[in-house]
Amino acid sequence: IPLLRRSLAMSKRPLLLFASPWTAPAWIKSNGDVRGKGTLKGKAGDKYHKTWANYFIKFLDEYAKHNVTFWAVTAQNEPLAGLFTPPQAPTIAFTAAQQRDFIAQDLGPALARSAHRTQLLMLDDQRIHLPHWAKVVLGNATAARYVAGLAVHWYLDAIVPPGCSLEATHKLFPDHFLLYTEACTGFFMF
């Protein structure tokens, strides 16, 4: 928080912060561990999903106590990586349908009821999953009304041309922005 506050104070322009979770607490995950290939227990709309949605609000509340606000949150960092990740990595696995239902029934309403004007981004994974992921989530009117944009990563960009992923998704859902949210060099050893 002190570093964020210093950065915000030094910037000549407003900084827009976003947050993206890696995992939920072990007690609400199917594998009972913050690491590994677990999903949220139960199904959207139940106590586990509502509890996880409330974690987002409590996170925003606590930062707001320190005058740090977030422009956006993502529903989950790399939700499909949770199916393929090494066992020691903290993650939650979501399919597009599971993320859609979590957004429509739990996270979207929780954010809308909160005092925060934080926007919600979906996907937050490789653009190889577009436009399928967008069709599943944004094709649902309830989920779509809570989602401001799509967060994408660049690691597998060489596999899928932008026209087949970004452009196709933008044409289908022009009212939702696309934003690269994660990238690094040296990801591939070769």
Side-chain angles (χ1 to χ4, degrees), residues 2-30:
L3 290 175
L4 285 174
R5 291 175 74 185
R6 282 179 54 203
S7 298
L8 292 165
M10 290 187 319
S11 178
K12 294 180 192 294
R13 299 180 303 198
L15 295 179
L16 301 176
L17 303 176
F18 81 92
S20 186
W22 280 60
T23 189
W27 70 272
I28 61 175
K29 283 185 60 187
S30 63

Side-chain angles (χ1 to χ4, degrees), residues 150-173:
L150 293 87
V152 293
H153 299 180
W154 79 331
Y155 306 109
L156 303 177
D157 280 5
I159 297 171
V160 177
C164 297
S165 55
L166 300 174
E167 188 177 341
T169 302
H170 176 69
K171 283 181 181 177
L172 289 168
F173 303 102

Side-chain angles (χ1 to χ4, degrees), residues 23-76:
T23 189
W27 70 272
I28 61 175
K29 283 185 60 187
S30 63
N31 66 345
D33 194 332
V34 296
R35 298 162 299 171
K37 297 172 173 64
T39 61
L40 289 178
K41 288 182 182 176
K43 60 182 183 172
D46 70 11
K47 67 181 180 179
Y48 300 108
H49 287 70
K50 296 228 177 289
T51 297
W52 183 228
N54 287 330
Y55 265 79
F56 283 75
I57 305 309
K58 289 180 185 225
F59 169 86
L60 295 170
D61 289 346
E62 291 303 313
Y63 272 89
K65 289 177 185 176
H66 298 277
N67 295 319
V68 176
T69 58
F70 286 82
W71 164 74
V73 294
T74 73
Q76 175 61 38

Side-chain angles (χ1 to χ4, degrees), residues 102-178:
F102 175 59
I103 289 170
Q105 296 180 43
D106 305 296
L107 184 55
L111 282 170
R113 284 190 308 270
S114 78
H116 307 285
R117 298 299 60 143
T118 305
Q119 296 186 65
L120 178 58
L121 307 181
M122 57 163 277
L123 184 58
D124 206 16
D125 209 330
Q126 310 309 316
R127 80 170 193 218
I128 194 169
H129 304 302
L130 296 174
H132 167 73
W133 201 280
K135 287 178 185 177
V136 172
V137 178
L138 299 177
N140 176 283
T142 303
R145 100 173 150 211
Y146 294 119
V147 174
L150 293 87
V152 293
H153 299 180
W154 79 331
Y155 306 109
L156 303 177
D157 280 5
I159 297 171
V160 177
C164 297
S165 55
L166 300 174
E167 188 177 341
T169 302
H170 176 69
K171 283 181 181 177
L172 289 168
F173 303 102
D175 295 333
H176 292 81
F177 62 84
L178 294 152

